[in-house]
Amino acid sequence: RKEVEQDPGPFNVPEGATVAFNCTYSNSASQSFFWYRQDCRKEPKLLMSVYSSGNEDGRFTAQLNRASQYISLLIRDSKLSDSATYLCVVNMYTGGFKTIFGAGTRLFVKA
Amino acid sequence: DAGVIQSPRHEVTEMGQEVTLRCKPISGHDYLFWYRQTMMRGLELLIYFNNNVPIDDSGMPEDRFSAKMPNASFSTLKIQPSEPRDSAVYFCASRTPMGGRGSDTQYFGPGTRLTVL
């Protein structure tokens, strides 16, 4: 079982739709969580950190469920420019630092 | 404010040649990471440094790969000899120091697209 798992998609949604991605992690020692966005042939860029209390940034909402060991990303009112791959990232501190990226979920927003 | 800088952006070489990739992290960041990304395997962590010291190189595929960080503002990833299966995009990332919100966050360079013929 992979330490960080994401549905690879692709998710094909119309403009204006709401779309949600989930990411599960297996190590309960995981301590910090992030969503990154990667456009085609570009580097991953931080979208948002994920805090236990949940956090929102405009149309984007991230949530963390430690009990079930998953994080989620909700995108409201999807735009064409939201088309990208969304990577889930988990950092752990278990006798040392470890960072694991999920394989990513591809999103296509259509006009 | 400059981000992570990588060079070269593209590299095409022949099998058996030595390849050196370069990275300049963001000033003040105390961690530096080297990743490799392919369609088949996604983003893989190769090695990371903390305060210029290699901490975990368990992701380095084999002895043909080596990385150094002689000072806080420069790191290299070397492949010698290179093979076609090394073709990938190699990213360098640096991380903000721990402490407070916004810490523990990695920032990526634009990557080096390596093609080994």
Side-chain angles (χ1 to χ4, degrees), chain B residues 56-76:
Chain B
D56 184 352
D57 65 355
S58 60
M60 296 285 259
E62 46 198 276
D63 292 347
R64 298 183 297 106
F65 286 70
S66 63
K68 294 181 179 179
M69 191 165 186
N71 57 62
S73 59
F74 183 65
S75 177
T76 59

Side-chain angles (χ1 to χ4, degrees), chain A residues 32 34 36 38 41-46 49 51 53-55 87 89 91 93 96-99 101-103, chain B residues 9-10 31 33 35 37 42-43 45 48 55-56 91 95 98 101-111 113:
Chain A
S32 55
F34 307 86
Y36 277 71
Q38 187 172 24
R41 301 179 74 84
K42 297 286 190 181
E43 71 273 23
K45 290 186 178 178
L46 177 68
S49 303
Y51 303 113
S53 55
N55 47 307
L87 303 166
V89 184
N91 287 346
Y93 296 86
F97 171 76
K98 188 174 181 181
T99 185
F101 278 72
Chain B
R9 295 291 303 275
H10 301 272
Y31 278 80
F33 305 83
Y35 292 88
Q37 187 173 41
L43 197 63
L45 176 63
Y48 75 90
I55 302 301
D56 184 352
F91 289 107
R95 199 193 83 171
M98 288 294 292
R101 284 205 165 191
S103 66
D104 196 23
T105 302
Q106 294 183 51
Y107 295 87
F108 283 75
R113 187 169 297 273

Side-chain angles (χ1 to χ4, degrees), chain A:
Chain A
R1 181 186 173 191
K2 292 182 181 178
E3 292 189 87
V4 176
E5 294 205 67
Q6 295 182 249
D7 181 343
F11 285 60
N12 293 288
V13 303
E15 269 189 298
T18 296
V19 61
F21 306 137
N22 284 333
C23 168
T24 60
Y25 59 95
S26 59
N27 194 323
S28 58
S30 301
Q31 293 189 330
S32 55
F33 309 87
F34 307 86
W35 283 102
Y36 277 71
R37 171 198 170 122
Q38 187 172 24
D39 293 290
C40 188
R41 301 179 74 84
K42 297 286 190 181
E43 71 273 23
K45 290 186 178 178
L46 177 68
L47 178 64
M48 55 199 309
S49 303
V50 188
Y51 303 113
S52 297
S53 55
N55 47 307
E56 186 174 313
D57 183 2
R59 298 181 294 107
F60 298 84
T61 300
Q63 301 237 314
L64 166 63
N65 185 318
R66 285 190 183 271
S68 300
Q69 295 185 191
Y70 78 83
I71 68 173
S72 63
L73 178 67
L74 183 77
I75 305 175
R76 291 181 297 279
D77 188 23
S78 300
K79 310 291 184 190
L80 295 176
S81 57
D82 294 333
S83 298
T85 297
Y86 291 83
L87 303 166
C88 166
V89 184
V90 174
N91 287 346
M92 306 174 209
Y93 296 86
T94 52
F97 171 76
K98 188 174 181 181
T99 185
I100 301 179
F101 278 72
T105 299
R106 295 204 68 185
L107 171 66
F108 294 101
V109 181
K110 307 167 293 183

